[in-house]
Amino acid sequence: MEHTYPSFFANNQGVSLHYYDIRPAAHDVRLPLVVCPGLSETAEEYLELLETVISVSPRRCIALSFRGRGQSDTPDAGYDLDEHISDIEAVVKQAQLESFHLLGYSRGVSYALGYALKHQAQVNSLLIGDYPPEHRMMPPEWPSAYINEYLIPFGRTEHIRVKAVQRIQIESTYRNLDERMNIPVLVARGLKEDSMIPDGELDRYLRMAENLTVREYPDSGHDLKETNGGQYYGDIALFLNNLA
């Protein structure tokens, strides 16, 4: 299915960042949604989610491709948490957003959490897609396995460049992000063995947020979008529909 949604580029100190900005007729009624894709994902892979949200809870919706992904630039360096947070900041500034809902999926959760903790007055709610509240280091052997066993076999080297994978491993530092939050939080997790929010990680979210909603998917592990996309997207839309 070909999408013809309006897309734009934000400049983050010389790094061009691609994003979609969809404004339905009723977009001024509710707060916008900003989406932070997973590690190797692009903005294009979230257009179906944006369509679902707009159909249930019409609002302006934005999805970006982080540095090294999709149509965004691939700088030679700058791939730790702070640089990814700055990518969100650049898109938010370009889009002239004052207050919005923020969604992260997989490693995009750490980028979204980092942004939300830094800009608490801007983020009206946080939506977590199967990832713990932390920014993880990547082991030295990870790039080769990730590139040769996942990106190349599944044709995803255009989604994230090899250079970006290598720099993420070299530059990523650990950050604990399970600080208290006073906003509504939705946590979506799979219940199969490869979920990245097992019970212990869910407990961290329970301690973080007083206003916490949990959605669980018995047929999914970490791959919520692939195995339960329709239900997951619908739950996101309904969660947002109950907010501004």
Side-chain angles (χ1 to χ4, degrees):
M1 178 179 179
E2 180 144 354
H3 300 276
T4 56
Y5 295 119
S7 66
F8 305 88
F9 289 88
N11 187 302
N12 183 7
Q13 298 183 337
V15 178
S16 181
L17 302 165
H18 176 246
Y19 67 97
Y20 287 93
D21 187 349
I22 306 175
R23 306 187 189 207
H27 75 272
D28 288 328
V29 177
R30 295 173 179 269
L31 291 177
L33 170 67
V34 176
V35 174
C36 300
L39 191 144
S40 70
E41 295 181 321
T42 68
E44 285 80 2
E45 294 176 87
Y46 283 81
L47 292 175
E48 184 179 350
L49 166 61
L50 302 191
E51 291 171 349
T52 301
V53 169
I54 290 170
S55 69
V56 174
S57 182
R59 66 184 67 236
R60 184 180 180 188
C61 289
I62 292 172
L64 71 142
S65 290
F66 286 103
R67 57 186 58 214
R69 287 85 153 180
Q71 299 180 54
S72 295
D73 282 350
T74 306
D76 291 334
Y79 290 89
D80 202 358
L81 177 60
D82 287 338
E83 288 81 13
H84 285 89
I85 292 173
S86 74
D87 287 349
I88 304 171
E89 291 171 337
V91 170
V92 167
K93 181 179 180 180
Q94 171 80 12
Q96 298 182 324
L97 300 180
E98 295 182 359
S99 183
F100 53 91
H101 305 284
L102 186 60
L103 181 150
Y105 183 78
S106 190
R107 193 170 174 89
V109 166
S110 61
Y111 308 149
L113 266 171
Y115 182 94
L117 292 172
K118 185 178 178 181
H119 301 278
Q120 295 188 41
Q122 279 189 312
V123 179
N124 202 58
S125 76
L126 189 63
L127 297 87
I128 304 294
D130 205 77
Y131 203 81
E134 61 191 25
H135 184 255
R136 293 183 169 183
M137 297 176 63
M138 308 304 281
E141 66 275 11
W142 171 73
S144 178
Y146 192 71
I147 292 164
N148 294 306
E149 298 174 18
Y150 176 59
L151 295 184
I152 292 175
F154 290 91
R156 295 188 62 84
T157 53
E158 293 301 314
H159 294 246
I160 184 171
R161 260 67 75 192
V162 167
K163 180 194 294 185
V165 173
Q166 294 168 337
R167 296 308 302 181
I168 286 170
Q169 188 279 315
I170 292 169
E171 298 183 36
S172 290
T173 54
Y174 179 83
R175 289 265 293 275
N176 180 9
L177 300 170
D178 61 358
E179 299 180 28
R180 293 284 294 176
M181 309 193 82
N182 296 319
I183 57 175
V185 177
L186 170 69
V187 171
R189 68 167 183 158
L191 295 182
K192 288 190 173 181
E193 188 174 351
D194 65 325
S195 170
M196 296 188 72
I197 306 183
D199 290 347
E201 300 296 346
L202 181 61
D203 288 342
R204 295 172 70 185
Y205 281 115
L206 290 167
R207 292 190 294 269
M208 283 175 60
E210 291 184 11
N211 188 354
L212 182 71
T213 300
V214 180
R215 292 288 179 265
E216 298 176 332
Y217 305 88
D219 297 331
S220 298
H222 183 58
D223 56 348
L224 295 182
K225 289 167 62 250
E226 288 74 24
T227 55
N228 260 297
Q231 183 180 355
Y232 174 46
Y233 295 167
D235 287 342
I236 289 169
L238 290 174
F239 176 79
L240 291 171
N241 201 45
N242 291 325
L243 303 173

